[in-house]
Amino acid sequence: MKRFWCLVLAVLAGGGAFARVPTQAPGEEVPFVPTPQNVVVAMLELAEVRPGDFLIDLGSGDGRIVITAAQRFGAEGLGIDNSPALVREARAAATRAGVADRATFVVKDIFDADLSQATVLALYLLPEYNLALRPRILDELRPGARVVSHDWDMGDWEPDERITMPAPEKTLGGTQTSTIYLWRVPARVQGPWRARLGAGGELELALEQKFQRVTGTVRYRNAQCPIEAATLSGDRLAIRACEGSNRLQLTGKAYQDRIVGTVARGGAPPTQFRALRPSDDALPELSR
Ligand SMILES: C[S@@+](CC[C@H](N)C(=O)[O-])C[C@H]1O[C@@H](n2cnc3c(N)ncnc32)[C@H](O)[C@@H]1O
């Protein structure tokens, strides 16, 4: 079985990011294939790993991603692998590297792992594993957490960034290149929101969300306008809508139950706003 999976991975790795994704049920074995060290460093750089981060590598193999995150980037990390032999190897490597206190490893199935503490999640699995993990990533990781995946995407969840780079140490496949994908877990902003804008009346947002893509409408001074442009990066939301004196430029931080930020109307200087879900009883007073 292991040889079969090596063959599948070899064929897929040869096609890199453009390979057709086979339909295979997760739960089958993913073999240990190490990420080349130059790609490990590039993954951690793309995810902007730094001291204070807690990185989880799902399927940590010999531990190189977690150990490099601790040793070179000052982060703390946890590697999870279902192979006791690989976990032993990773622990020994962490000790040799002098980071055993910040790079720990457990024998566990990745689908039983608690992901909620991760500020960075590293993956080098298979496409269907990424897809199977996707709902949990979106539900359990906090907004703004970064997910970095070697060679495999997340289906229709477009990456925020993607790079392809030489990987001369790669032993599998016909091409010695690797693709790295980065996503920032988006806050949930879907639905209606209302904010009071002091003397300027009320602002209503009706937001549609597909991962980090936000569309919808803004209602302000009895004018309803489609959102012209919106970006959602983790919990940072920016919206541009309406025209002329009704022109709105809104930037804010999205929490589960509120969006807090500033709104600039027409040519006027920005004022603070706090939007709530309309089900909340009272609209907040404007803080100035
Ligand atoms: C392709 S290797 C990646 C190793 C490492 N993350 C790296 O990039 O160098 C995948 C690893 O996932 C582990 N693995 C596969 N399925 C797993 C599962 N269900 N639970 C835990 N680990 C798993 C394998 O033992 C293997 O070490």
Side-chain angles (χ1 to χ4, degrees), residues 95-138:
T95 301
R96 282 196 303 278
V99 292
D101 55 333
R102 284 184 293 115
T104 54
F105 296 90
V106 292
V107 179
K108 189 175 262 198
D109 191 287
I110 57 175
F111 292 99
D112 295 333
D114 173 7
L115 310 182
S116 62
Q117 294 312 305
T119 60
V120 181
L121 191 68
L123 308 170
Y124 185 26
L125 295 164
L126 281 174
E128 62 274 21
Y129 274 67
N130 283 6
L131 280 183
L133 289 164
R134 194 174 83 176
R136 291 197 47 208
I137 290 172
L138 289 163

Side-chain angles (χ1 to χ4, degrees), residues 148-170:
V148 67
S149 173
H150 180 190
D151 270 349
W152 308 120
D153 66 17
M154 290 270 184
D156 60 350
W157 182 12
E158 291 287 326
D160 293 297
E161 291 178 52
R162 168 173 46 199
I163 59 171
T164 297
M165 60 178 294
E169 286 171 38
K170 212 168 187 175

